[in-house]
Each structure stands twice: as C-alpha cells, then as structure tokens.
Amino acid sequence: SLTKTFDAVRRRFAGKSKLTEANINEALGEVRTALLEADVNFAVCKDFLANVRERALGAEVLAGVSPGDQFIKSIHDALVELMGPEDPSIAWKKDGPTVILMAGLQGSGKTTTCGKLAFKFKNEGRKPLLVAADVQRPAAIEQLKVLGEQVGVPVHAEPGAAPPDICERAVAKAVELGADTVILDTAGRLHIDEDLMNEVSLIAEKTHPDEVFLVLDANTGQDAVHSAEEFDKTLALTGVVLTKLDSGTRGGASLSVKKVTGKPIKFIGVGEKLDKLESFHPARMADRILG
Amino acid sequence: ILPFGRDLDDELIDEMENYLYTADIGPRTVQVVMEQVRQAYKDRTIKTTDECFEHLKSILKGVMSSDKTSLVTPQQPPLVILVAGVNGSGKTTSIAKLCKYFRDRDKKVLLAAADTFRAAAVEQLTIWADRLGADIVKKQQGADPASVAFDACDAARARGVDVLIVDTAGRLHTQKNLMQELEKIRRVIGKKIEGAPHETLLILDANNGQNAIAQAQEFGKSLELTGLFLTKLDGTAKGGAVIGIRHQVDVPVKFIGIGESAEDIEEFDADAFVEALFA
Ligand SMILES: Nc1nc2c(ncn2[C@@H]2O[C@H](COP(=O)(O)OP(=O)(O)OP(=O)(O)O)[C@@H](O)[C@H]2O)c(=O)[nH]1
Ligand SMILES: Nc1nc2c(ncn2[C@@H]2O[C@H](COP(=O)(O)OP(=O)(O)OP(=O)(O)O)[C@@H](O)[C@H]2O)c(=O)[nH]1
Ligand SMILES: [Mg+2]
Ligand SMILES: [Mg+2]
C-alpha cells in the first residue's frame, strides 16, 4: 500500500536537508510499484512520475518541512490535480429533452447505471425516459424495464429494431411523453469491433447527445486506456462513470483514463441498488489510488 | 516488444520487465519472474533477446500449466457445476457456453437460476436454456438462492440429467453476507448430492487488474474452487492477472471465453495463452 511506500520514502529522506536526484529517483521507484499495484497504466505511470520528478527537482525545500514529507505531498497534489476537478454537472438543455448516451465494454454496469441516473434525476424533479437500445443481450430490454418500474419512469423499447433508429424515435417520442431527459442504454461492445463502434457512432449522430458517458468498471487493469481512447475517438466522450468501486479496488484505471482522454469522471457506482451512485471526489480517489 | 536477435543487456531486460506490467502481470509476480530471468542472464544461460523470450515463456507456461484442466467425471451423474464470480464477469453467458459444450456431446443439461436478485437474471438464463435445449429450474424473484439449488438437485436426479449447472448472482468478495450466502448454496448442494458440487468455477473477467487476485483468494476461502474460467479474452486485455493468481492459488484455468455467443468457449491451453501474451 502507499502508506507503506510513503513510510519507506520518508525513511529514505530521513536526515537529509534537501531532495537530490539520486534519492528522488529511488523514491519514485517505490511509488511506481505502488501505482502499478493500483492498476495505473504503465505508460501513464511513467509520464506521471516523470512530471513529479521534474517538479520535485525544481522545487524549493520549504522551511520546517522534511524533504520526505514535501515529496509525498507533491505526489499527492499532482494526483489530485490530474484526477480533478470535481464536476458532477449535466449539460441540461434549456429547451427540448437532454439526451445522455451510455457506452462501454460488456458487463461494465451500463444498464444498472442508467437506472441509477433515472432515479437521481427523478429525485431532482426531472422526467427521465429510459431507452432500451440493447437488442442483442438476452433479456436486456426486460432488465431495463424492471429498473424503469422500480424507479417509476417510462421505458422505450422496440425489440428487434436497429439501435440507432430506436434511439432516434425515442428522442422524438420524449416530447410527446413529457420527458425532459432521455437516457440511452446501449449494448456492451468491444472497442475493436468495427461494426459495433460504427453502430454507437450512428446512435450519437442521430440523437445529438448532450452527454456521452463511458461506463468503466473500476476494477479494470492496464487495458482501460485502450478502450477509453477508442470510445473517446469514436464518440467524443463528455464524461466517465466509474462503477463497482465498492469492490475495494484501488481503481488506478481512473487515473489512466483521465490522463489519456482528459474527460472528467463525473460519478461513481458504489453498489448494485438504485441509490448507489455518488459524485466523484478527486481527492478521495487520489487517496484511494495511493493506498 | 524486444528487437530480435540482439545481445541482451540490462536495458533490454528492463524493457522486457516493463512489457510484463502492461499485460496486467502485477509487480509482485513480475519481480519473482524477472529475478529468474536476471539470474539466467547472470549465469550466461541466456545471452540474446530470443533466448530471453523463450526463457520467459517457459517460466510462464510452467506457472499456467496444470494436469487438472479437464472437468471431473463424478462416480455417478449428475455432474454438478457451481458457478460464481463478481458482477458482470460473464457467469450467465459462460454457463450458456458450458451448456452448449455438453449439449454438443449429447448430454442432458439442467440449469438452476439461483440468481434471484438481479433484474431479469432469471429471464436471461431462461432464454439460453430455451435456445440450447436445456431444462431450467427457477423460482420467484427474491426467493432464497439456496432453495433454488435445493430444488434443482432434486430435479436433476429425478430427471436423470447428466449435468446440473448452478448460476449465482454477481457479488463482490467484499460483501461478507453475500459470500456467506454462497457458502450456504454450496452446503445445500453438498447435502443433496454426495460429492457435489464436483466443480466450482470462478468466472474471471480478463479486463480485471490486480483486484482479480483478491477475488480468487476470497472466493477460494468461501468455496473450494476447482477451476477458473477466464472471460472476454476476445478483447485487447491479456488477462495477465491470472498469472499472479496461479502463483498464490492452486486452481487451474479450465476454460476461456472468447465472445458473446454460446460457441465462444475454448478449453484452456497454457501454451497458447502464454504465446498470446506476447502477441
Ligand atoms: N457492486 C456493484 N455492482 C454493480 C455496480 N454497477 C453495476 N453493478 C452490477 O454489475 C453487473 C453488470 O451490470 P449491468 O448493468 O448489467 O452491466 P452492463 O454494462 O449493462 O452489461 P452489458 O449490457 O452486458 O454490457 C450487475 O450485476 C450489476 O448489478 C456497482 O457500482 N457496484
Ligand atoms: N466479448 C465478450 N463478452 C462476454 C464474454 N462473456 C460474457 N460476455 C458479455 O459480458 C456481459 C455480462 O455477461 P453476463 O453473463 O450477464 O455476466 P454475469 O457475470 O452473469 O453478470 P451478473 O449476473 O450481473 O453478475 C454480457 O454482455 C455478455 O455477453 C466473452 O467471453 N467475451
Ligand atoms: Mg446492459
Ligand atoms: Mg448473471
């Protein structure tokens, strides 16, 4: 854990009055191991630590602060800066329904998160419409319908129709239904599946979403950057929802995805139930990654 | 990864180490493996990049190999398979694949829909059972999962099926009460059918990072795992966390999932898996 790492770092700098290149490099080695154990992408780690190293070498040693503590603080601050800012905003439309497109890999938690967002927005006084655009997974439509029932919001479904058409018609129908928020649940897909990436791109083209969220499992390892980059290229993401954080994972994938896409992490999933959605707090996530 | 046919040096060995990290082989395991590689370099038993590759592959193949990768055959039918794993790992779909695997071999299969919690979980498994010509035992939403397993064991014997596969709800290893629920399901199965469950498979998502190790350890404490089923290897994730698992938990990988259809299943091949890590 990084607490152990930071103790080791402190010991390394003990009795030293300033940060030297040699002891910084050694300390960075220990931090690198901790970040890799936290699933931060290797290349992202390298860049991040090179950045920290530059800052640490150029920094004035503060009076009354041990170099070790100062070094640790600079890592923590760099991490918080990278993870932030805190931004749970939704680009609500002034007139017409606000459209939110949910995309991501198989099993990441999209359908469940659609339910959670509908629950949250309904409690905020909005009128959400859920759209079942996954016509491929067995009982996916049924799953969203059950969630819609639990929340008390309508679900637009057209079994067997093409997802881009379903979504387009749903947005048109939203006005009739008096819905001001349309949440599009899409099928899980691989970023290397050209047909399915074209399909989700077509959904975005036909519905002009105001928010496009990548739903990412917080337990994802090194590969998180590859899928995130592809989804960002294809869809121009506006945010990320990090799910299943209640697993105890350090969640380093969040750092990797933030660094590589620059898109804000807006919400986190911390359980299966509808109320288990929270705003993302960069400082808390930084502490978590650091162990 | 490394330039072919070059003489090894410390820098190239470091590059090899860095590559292992990118495959989700965590620091602890990488350090153990690289120690052996660096020792071989010191002893001059490997001198070129090619030799380094081959040495590394043979170390990893050693870790991943097992003589217990096939499914057990119980003294008398049914073979009972209990399936568990964290949320969204691919349990229900992997059960469909196992079902098809047995149906292709003319076996009579019964599925138990013991995920009584998640929205439309029973409907999802029912669709697969219908598609694949398997029977299914299910109860109302919210029923005690152990009671579904109980009824399924009775039905399996009464109907003379060859294989009974029990689907369970996704759960995190950090949820104590849900892990206890899983232990109860297992106990109930064991009381109903002697020696059952004959196989207990942990479904692991190849996209997972180091948390997969905690999953295997904790699920292993609640259940006697007999095999791992590594899913979603058709993506770009290498599934290297399973190497760290094999170092700490003596449970072999028995199957891999390579897609969303019922035929996207393969018996685990350690050599192929290690070769793919370096592809
Ligand atoms: N513990 C926990 N479980 C979650 C969370 N979010 C989703 N899940 C669970 O993860 C599993 C997968 O969720 P789904 O919503 O079906 O995932 P999906 O992305 O829609 O899956 P596909 O449509 O197949 O790609 C379900 O068991 C959910 O209950 C979370 O934040 N915490
Ligand atoms: N690409 C790919 N997708 C897979 C594979 N195995 C499962 N999936 C997909 O992953 C998603 C989740 O699969 P499920 O079988 O519902 O997972 P689960 O573990 O039963 O989920 P919960 O019951 O909610 O915990 C679905 O979209 C599946 O089609 C695989 O090997 N490759
Ligand atoms: Mg879904
Ligand atoms: Mg399931």
Side-chain angles (χ1 to χ4, degrees):
Chain A
S1 76
L2 221 71
T3 325
K4 278 217 238 98
T5 307
F6 279 171
D7 287 343
V9 167
R10 274 198 189 87
R11 270 183 270 120
R12 219 175 261 295
F13 287 121
K16 308 232 165 30
S17 56
K18 65 189 187 69
L19 299 173
T20 67
E21 192 152 353
N23 51 35
I24 283 179
N25 285 341
E26 287 191 333
L28 285 178
E30 310 222 8
V31 176
R32 187 184 86 158
T33 300
L35 291 177
L36 287 174
E37 286 202 347
D39 292 326
V40 178
N41 178 270
F42 182 80
V44 169
C45 248
K46 210 163 164 218
D47 281 350
F48 175 75
L49 293 175
N51 230 310
V52 167
R53 183 175 173 277
E54 210 155 308
R55 287 198 199 183
L57 285 174
E60 290 278 328
V61 177
L62 303 171
V65 180
S66 79
D69 283 342
Q70 182 170 335
F71 180 75
I72 289 168
K73 182 157 191 323
S74 71
I75 293 185
H76 185 266
D77 290 351
L79 204 50
V80 176
E81 191 180 328
L82 180 46
M83 297 307 294
E86 187 167 330
D87 173 19
S89 68
I90 301 284
W92 298 118
K93 263 230 190 59
K94 297 289 184 292
D95 55 357
T98 302
V99 179
I100 302 175
L101 171 59
M102 309 288 283
L105 295 178
Q106 289 87 352
S108 62
K110 296 173 293 299
T111 305
T112 308
T113 305
C114 285
K116 291 176 179 179
L117 287 173
F119 179 76
K120 172 181 163 64
F121 298 150
K122 181 158 186 257
N123 286 343
E124 289 170 359
R126 302 196 61 94
K127 302 203 181 64
L129 167 68
L130 287 168
V131 181
D134 178 356
V135 296
Q136 176 256 350
R137 167 175 153 155
I141 295 176
E142 186 57 26
Q143 185 184 2
L144 195 65
K145 282 192 173 162
V146 171
L147 294 178
E149 226 166 282
Q150 289 174 356
V151 176
V153 298
V155 178
H156 178 95
E158 298 177 40
D165 299 330
I166 299 171
C167 292
E168 188 173 40
R169 285 193 279 267
V171 175
K173 193 158 169 233
V175 181
E176 286 173 43
L177 288 174
D180 59 12
T181 311
V182 183
I183 304 170
L184 309 173
D185 184 22
T186 64
R189 68 201 65 226
L190 295 178
H191 53 291
I192 52 173
D193 185 329
E194 211 177 320
D195 291 338
L196 286 185
M197 291 309 281
N198 286 336
E199 177 191 90
V200 76
S201 176
L202 192 54
I203 292 176
E205 247 175 76
K206 292 194 173 242
T207 59
H208 311 289
D210 303 285
E211 294 283 355
V212 180
F213 289 160
L214 173 69
V215 178
L216 173 71
D217 185 334
N219 297 280
T220 309
Q222 296 288 312
D223 201 63
V225 295
H226 303 129
S227 50
E229 255 178 330
E230 264 327 290
F231 275 93
D232 194 22
K233 260 204 239 133
T234 303
L235 294 173
L237 303 172
T238 61
V240 176
V241 179
L242 202 61
T243 62
K244 309 180 205 174
L245 256 177
D246 45 320
S247 70
T249 183
R250 302 256 293 275
S254 62
L255 173 66
S256 315
V257 169
K258 179 77 199 335
K259 180 137 202 312
V260 155
T261 65
K263 301 301 160 78
I265 298 173
K266 299 213 167 186
F267 304 104
I268 57 176
V270 292
E272 291 191 81
K273 303 222 167 98
L274 293 170
D275 59 351
K276 298 292 185 204
L277 187 76
E278 296 175 359
S279 293
F280 174 73
H281 296 292
R284 276 189 224 162
M285 194 69 214
D287 289 344
R288 188 180 177 115
I289 291 176
L290 295 184
Chain B
I1 304 165
L2 291 186
F4 259 14
R6 287 259 305 273
D7 284 341
L8 271 181
D9 60 32
D10 288 330
E11 208 178 304
L12 285 170
I13 292 190
D14 282 352
E15 262 179 63
M16 187 76 255
E17 173 174 332
N18 293 345
Y19 179 77
L20 297 182
Y21 291 124
T22 68
D24 278 316
I25 304 177
R28 229 166 299 181
T29 306
V30 169
Q31 277 151 26
V32 167
V33 170
M34 287 310 295
E35 206 164 308
Q36 299 177 47
V37 171
R38 289 197 168 95
Q39 189 58 49
Y41 175 54
K42 225 163 140 231
D43 298 344
R44 320 237 65 235
T45 55
I46 57 172
K47 304 196 200 71
T48 67
T49 51
D50 302 45
E51 287 171 343
C52 181
F53 260 122
E54 290 317 307
H55 189 62
L56 192 46
K57 283 183 196 173
S58 78
I59 293 173
L60 295 176
K61 285 175 185 176
V63 175
M64 295 310 297
S65 304
S66 166
D67 54 3
K68 298 206 219 77
T69 56
S70 49
L71 293 173
V72 306
T73 315
Q75 295 236 342
Q76 51 179 314
L79 160 65
V80 182
I81 303 175
L82 176 60
V83 171
V86 302
N87 306 73
S89 56
K91 296 175 291 300
T92 306
T93 309
S94 299
I95 288 174
K97 293 172 183 178
L98 287 169
C99 181
K100 177 155 204 317
Y101 176 89
F102 287 114
R103 294 291 298 133
D104 287 349
R105 290 156 176 74
D106 285 321
K107 302 289 182 198
K108 189 152 190 250
V109 183
L110 175 66
L111 302 180
D115 176 357
T116 57
F117 168 74
R118 205 209 68 209
V122 175
E123 285 80 347
Q124 184 185 5
L125 191 65
T126 303
I127 290 173
W128 281 117
D130 291 347
R131 282 185 193 174
L132 301 169
D135 278 359
I136 182 164
V137 164
K138 52 186 156 174
K139 286 190 140 183
Q140 74 285 3
Q141 187 81 0
D144 179 0
S147 71
V148 178
F150 185 93
D151 288 2
C153 287
D154 275 342
R157 271 210 295 244
R159 300 180 208 180
V161 303
D162 298 304
V163 189
L164 165 62
I165 313 176
V166 181
D167 191 12
T168 58
R171 70 203 64 223
L172 299 177
H173 50 291
T174 45
Q175 294 168 309
K176 197 155 186 283
N177 57 331
L178 294 184
M179 296 307 285
Q180 288 173 345
E181 176 185 271
L182 206 48
E183 293 167 18
K184 180 177 174 205
I185 294 172
R186 177 167 192 264
R187 269 200 310 275
V188 163
I189 292 174
K191 285 209 185 108
K192 271 270 142 188
I193 295 179
E194 173 137 22
H198 309 97
E199 290 280 355
T200 301
L201 302 179
L202 178 65
I203 311 295
L204 287 172
D205 184 334
N207 288 290
N208 273 185
Q210 297 311 300
N211 194 260
I213 300 185
Q215 288 175 29
Q217 287 173 329
E218 292 309 311
F219 276 89
K221 281 192 200 144
S222 292
L223 306 168
E224 266 178 49
L225 300 175
T226 61
L228 306 176
F229 191 134
L230 192 58
T231 64
K232 310 181 196 173
L233 273 172
D234 48 316
T236 51
K238 300 281 183 174
V242 77
I243 299 179
I245 291 176
R246 290 291 283 125
H247 251 173
Q248 313 195 21
V249 179
D250 187 23
V251 179
V253 180
K254 298 209 173 190
F255 294 99
I256 62 172
I258 49 167
E260 300 193 68
S261 307
E263 54 260 6
D264 294 326
I265 174 176
E266 282 179 5
E267 294 174 354
F268 184 67
D269 177 339
D271 287 357
F273 176 75
V274 173
E275 292 295 328
L277 278 179
F278 294 96

